[in-house]
Amino acid sequence: MNKSRIGIVGAGIGGLAAALALLRRGFDVQVYEQASELGEIGAGVQITPNGSKVLMELGLTDEIMAIGTRTQGKDNYLWNTGQKSTFMQLGDRANEQYGSPYLTFHRADLHAMLLKAVLALKPDAVLLDKRCDGIAQTAAGVQIRFSDGSSAEEPVLVGADGIHSRVRQALFGPDSPEFTGCIAWRGLIPAAPIEGAVNLRGGSMWLGPTAHIVTYPVRQGALLNFIAMVDRDDWLSESWTEAGTVEECLGDLAGWHPTVQLMVRNIAIPYKWALRVREPLDAWSVGRITLLGDACHSTLPFLSQGANMAIEDSLVLARCLCQDDEPELALRRYEAARRPRTARITRTSAEQLRRVHNPELADPASAQRYIEREWASQRVDDRYGWVYGYDAGTVAITQGLELPPAVAPASRPA
Ligand SMILES: Cc1cc2nc3c(=O)[nH]c(=O)nc-3n(C[C@H](O)[C@H](O)[C@H](O)COP(=O)(O)OP(=O)(O)OC[C@H]3O[C@@H](n4cnc5c(N)ncnc54)[C@H](O)[C@@H]3O)c2cc1C
């Protein structure tokens, strides 16, 4: 493509990864972010080999190896007895199997790393206090209107504005996510009070009949990231920043193993959010506008792929825009390359809920049989191999792809 400017709404992990991928390919980029200060929530994020491969291709190999924590592997634990079994081996094995590492990060560190790389290429790439309120296609491109009354015009626009995306709403109207009947608790735990009781070099998954817990170390084991997903139908807010209390979280995990109670008691502020599921969209692009990351494929967290998919999107989008002179065609190619994979991941992730919350886990004898069956190494490879083995740098973007039809002008935003 004639390397013109690309506007991006949203400076989260997806928006910044896209900015970096595009700047590295010679595009000019302008990112519009609603926040007055850039940062991230206090939580961990797992970057699986499919995501780290992209970050390596974006020139960040040394940075991710320095900032990320190389997880040795994951074990399963039974919710009440604490009985342990192997879930998956990682460490060197991830590199051997996929050619890139499995790493965990503090989200703020990952975000800061991406921001630094973007600003090194274009110091004024990110404009703050720019909350997108509306968009309109124009003859030359796209007009973006902001809540401060200002506006900007860009030849091409990418909506990377997250789960409640304003750009998505402008293109396709409001959505109606379905509540799963499950909420998530998250928190960071300092290492000192749990050292010895909890593995601070690898991940764990605690499995129970109506809840499960995922933990993994970040910052080389100085902190443990904790997420508990609990069947509960009285909390409907889909926000990542609403605080609950330790007592309430303990109440949701009553009867769980003492190690679990110890972890929860050491979370300074546990946050809770309702898990809602969205059907994959039928289209992501209208004319010169497209979507990226949670804006177009928010997912339940059961495969840890939300950020990874956003990072994959960024590289495929940049490759498509490089290849085609016609931006509308490039965006359709991007969508054609990415929609089937992201739909499969979001659906598989939703299906995973009944595997990790299963009545067979209530009784220790049936639970052990269930874990041995469902987490047999071949089954684990079948479930995760296709997710981790994807290479956004080489996946086909032209041949063998049926392009989605262009969305009719009549349905374009006014
Ligand atoms: C606790 C937790 C743990 C997770 N763990 C994992 C994990 O282990 N692995 C994984 O792959 N994924 C994980 N995810 C999911 C992952 O974090 C998201 O999928 C990812 O952040 C999506 O990135 P994004 O850039 O699309 O959206 P976001 O990170 O939500 O960024 C959107 C950006 O757009 C900005 N914005 C929003 N609206 C506007 C507007 N109108 N105008 C301008 N700017 C706007 C926001 O301020 C924000 O900066 C986790 C999520 C949570 C909450």
Side-chain angles (χ1 to χ4, degrees), residues 160-406:
D161 49 344
I163 200 162
H164 303 294
S165 170
R166 186 73 194 82
V167 179
R168 181 190 66 227
Q169 287 168 31
L171 293 182
F172 303 116
D175 63 353
S176 49
E178 194 185 329
F179 178 50
T180 54
C182 186
I183 73 155
W185 286 101
R186 72 171 170 87
L188 287 170
I189 305 170
I194 55 169
E195 204 134 35
V198 175
N199 180 5
L200 290 167
R201 288 168 48 79
S204 74
M205 179 149 73
W206 289 78
L207 293 159
T210 58
H212 79 292
I213 297 168
V214 173
T215 76
Y216 52 86
V218 296
R219 293 193 176 154
Q220 321 305 334
L223 292 168
L224 186 79
N225 189 63
F226 174 98
I227 307 183
M229 282 136 294
V230 182
D231 289 352
R232 195 179 131 176
D233 59 10
D234 62 344
W235 182 257
L236 301 178
S237 170
E238 196 185 28
S239 157
W240 294 349
T241 50
E242 293 205 40
T245 64
V246 166
E247 290 65 35
E248 189 187 352
C249 185
L250 282 172
D252 279 352
L253 296 167
W256 282 59
H257 193 267
T259 302
V260 170
Q261 316 284 329
L262 175 71
M263 289 191 281
V264 176
R265 279 200 305 276
N266 283 288
I267 301 173
I269 306 174
Y271 293 87
K272 59 178 177 177
W273 79 100
L275 294 177
R276 291 173 174 268
V277 67
R278 290 171 175 78
E279 271 300 300
L281 292 174
D282 293 332
W284 293 359
S285 314
V286 178
R288 289 168 168 245
I289 309 170
T290 196
L291 301 170
L292 179 146
D294 277 7
C296 49
H297 49 64
S298 74
T299 181
L300 293 175
F302 304 131
L303 291 177
S304 307
Q305 287 302 308
N308 286 291
M309 286 193 288
I311 290 168
E312 290 175 356
D313 288 346
S314 69
L315 184 54
V316 176
L317 175 68
R319 288 176 58 210
C320 291
L321 283 166
C322 258
Q323 186 170 300
D324 269 301
D325 271 341
E326 176 46 62
E328 298 201 10
L329 187 59
L331 298 187
R332 285 167 62 209
R333 278 194 207 289
Y334 154 70
E335 187 183 323
R338 293 295 299 151
R339 265 205 297 127
R341 172 170 169 83
T342 53
R344 186 175 173 200
I345 289 179
T346 53
R347 290 211 166 102
T348 309
S349 194
E351 286 160 15
Q352 179 89 333
L353 177 58
R354 289 302 140 218
R355 181 175 291 112
V356 287
H357 299 189
N358 191 286
E360 285 192 61
L361 291 160
D363 168 67
S366 61
Q368 200 48 40
R369 282 197 300 276
Y370 184 75
I371 290 175
E372 279 165 16
R373 189 177 72 236
E374 291 297 323
W375 275 271
S377 64
Q378 187 57 52
R379 283 213 178 184
V380 169
D381 275 353
D382 290 348
R383 282 210 297 275
Y384 295 90
W386 66 274
V387 178
Y388 299 169
Y390 179 88
D391 186 346
T394 58
V395 69
I397 54 172
T398 47
Q399 284 155 13
L401 288 178
E402 201 179 310
L403 290 182

Side-chain angles (χ1 to χ4, degrees), residues 23-56:
L23 285 166
R24 280 172 60 85
R25 280 170 171 71
F27 290 91
D28 186 13
V29 169
Q30 192 62 61
V31 185
Y32 301 96
E33 165 61 42
Q34 66 178 0
S36 45
E37 212 177 303
L38 281 173
E40 258 292 351
I41 59 169
V45 57
Q46 306 188 65
I47 296 300
T48 52
N50 47 312
S52 67
K53 190 166 278 173
V54 175
L55 296 174
M56 290 163 74

